Every structure is written in C-alpha cells, then in structure tokens.
Amino acid sequence: MVLNIAMDGPVGAGKSSIAKAVADRLGILHLDTGAMYRAVGLSAIRAGVDLQDEAAVTAHTRQIDVAVAHSAQGQRTIVNGEDVTDYIRTPEVSMAASTVGKYAGVRREMVAIQQKLAASTPMLVDGRDICVRVLPGATVKLFLTASAEERARRRWNEMKDKPDAPSYEEVLRDLRARDAQDMNREVDPLRPTEDAVIVDSTEMNFEQVVAYILKIVEEKTHE
Ligand code: DC
C-alpha cells in the first residue's frame, strides 16, 4: 500500500513547514492543498469573479486547470500553465481561498485532483478535510493545532519586519475570521476526526513537533 499521511489543522498551526520537514525526513512528497484553494481564489480575483457568487466561482473553477509540481524547494502551484506560487500568500488571497473553499463544487474539483495524486505516490497531504474526505484510508492521520494567540504570534513574527506589516491584533483578528469560516462551513468543516492524533504545538518548538510526528508515523507504520 502507498504510504499516505493526512494532516489537518487551522490557520497558522505550522502545517506547511512541519509537513514539509516531516515529508523530507521520510523521503516522500508533501502536497499543500491550501495552495490549491489559494490558486483558485487568486484566479477568481484576477478574472473579476464575485467571490460570494457560488455558481460563478464554481463555474470558474471548472474552466481552469490547477496543477502542482514538486521541485527541490518544495511545491510550485500552477494555474493554466502559469506558476502562481509567488502570488498566493497575500492576506487577500488567504481570505479568498477560505471563501472559495466553502463551495461544494470547488471542493469536489480539488479533492479529485488530490486523490489522484496521492493514489500512486507516497505523500504527506496537508489541509482541512484530508482525514475526513481526501484520504479517509490514510495510514496516519494527524490534527496539528495550537492556541489562536500562539498561532497569531508565529504568523506575526514572520511578517512583522516587512513593509506594511499588519499589527499583531490585525493578524489575530484575520486568523479568527478564517478559523470561523473554515470550521463553520457546511461542506467538510475543519474538525479533528476520531481516528486522528491531535498534536497541540502551543508549548512545543518546531523540532519537537517534527520529532513527535515522526514517532507517531513510526508507530503507525509498524502496527
Ligand atoms: O492551509 P492554507 O492556510 O494555505 O489554506 C488556505 C485556505 O484554503 C483555508 O483557509 C481553507 C482552504 N482550504 C480548504 O478549504 N481545504 C483544504 N484542504 C485546504 C485549504
């Protein structure tokens, strides 16, 4: 069986960087599914689609081609042949990703691509609905979280020296808004499944979280 590791968690829990480090240590690929919703959000914004219009966003998603490529530096995310990786991390695109992620038709398209990728290749897949929808049969299921204040503090630390950096309060407010939208949507809301191991990193540093997850993977793959 192909090794699939499913990792869900809220904004700023460190999923992307932790997932990449764990995948690198295991010698498998890391699929960042959030980047795919971000790519849809960016594409819809650029095309002038009203993000609140579910039918229009869904139709737009069906018209575009979202793909990923893996390089030594990690995942590149591609829309209609254009590498959009460098344009999908703005606050505007973050919120757009969360909004387009509410729509069932958009989710169906993204889930199908993700399942196809993971079916044949050992992967660690991170996102919001991986344990419940994308890889319900994953060998290892993880829910990575931390307190909202700690997640906002980490986010803010990454951004604070950039020009036009938001204040800590703004970061915390945006994070809570996105949490609320991701956890309260109708289709596959973010929540830990019963068979997921909850990893609360509030009191752990990066290396401790990576080591802890590698230990869980080791245990689960030898069960
Ligand atoms: O992981 P991220 O912050 O890059 O994700 C951006 C948004 O995309 C997130 O707020 C909700 C949405 N998303 C989703 O609905 N399902 C996923 N599997 C991954 C992300």
Side-chain angles (χ1 to χ4, degrees):
M1 210 180 88
V2 177
L3 174 64
N4 281 164
I5 301 175
M7 182 189 283
D8 290 318
V11 182
K15 279 192 317 293
S16 289
S17 48
I18 297 280
K20 181 159 189 333
V22 172
D24 283 352
R25 304 267 180 102
L26 294 170
I28 62 175
L29 290 182
H30 163 220
L31 178 63
D32 171 1
T33 63
M36 298 171 67
Y37 290 89
R38 288 169 180 273
V40 172
L42 174 73
S43 176
I45 292 171
R46 283 180 172 176
V49 176
D50 174 2
L51 296 182
Q52 301 307 324
D53 183 339
E54 176 168 357
V57 173
T58 305
H60 180 76
T61 307
R62 293 205 179 108
Q63 282 159 11
I64 60 174
D65 175 47
V66 178
V68 298
H70 286 93
S71 71
Q73 287 74 44
Q75 175 173 316
R76 309 298 299 180
T77 308
I78 296 151
V79 178
N80 290 344
E82 181 197 352
D83 184 341
V84 295
T85 313
D86 296 340
Y87 310 111
I88 57 176
R89 298 284 154 198
T90 65
E92 186 192 12
V93 175
S94 301
M95 205 59 206
S98 175
T99 301
V100 303
K102 290 191 296 187
Y103 304 141
V106 173
R107 306 202 67 79
R108 229 179 347 259
E109 298 287 318
M110 296 302 113
V111 169
I113 302 170
Q114 293 153 15
Q115 288 178 329
K116 202 166 160 213
L117 289 168
S120 53
T121 313
M123 275 188 183
L124 190 162
V125 184
D126 91 66
R128 303 289 190 289
D129 60 339
I130 311 306
C131 295
V132 72
R133 179 69 52 203
V134 179
L135 301 173
T139 320
V140 185
K141 292 185 176 180
L142 303 159
F143 190 87
L144 183 63
T145 190
S147 71
E149 291 75 14
E150 176 62 17
R151 289 185 283 125
R153 196 189 60 73
R154 291 178 192 166
R155 267 278 136 113
W156 179 72
N157 261 333
E158 282 167 13
M159 307 195 278
K160 66 180 194 306
D161 297 328
K162 294 193 182 143
D164 300 325
S167 66
Y168 167 78
E169 285 71 25
E170 283 170 307
V171 175
L172 181 61
R173 193 195 54 214
D174 282 3
L175 182 139
R176 287 209 160 110
R178 204 137 69 84
D179 270 0
Q181 187 155 274
D182 295 346
M183 291 173 180
N184 296 317
R185 69 178 178 223
E186 278 172 35
V187 192
D188 295 341
L190 171 68
R191 63 185 159 77
T193 52
E194 275 185 11
D195 51 358
V197 180
I198 296 178
V199 181
D200 185 335
S201 72
T202 309
E203 308 280 331
M204 288 158 104
N205 67 30
F206 185 85
E207 266 312 314
Q208 287 169 326
V209 179
V210 171
Y212 181 53
I213 291 177
L214 287 171
K215 196 168 130 258
I216 297 168
V217 173
E218 172 77 19
E219 282 166 12
K220 293 272 178 194
T221 48
H222 287 96
E223 265 175 10

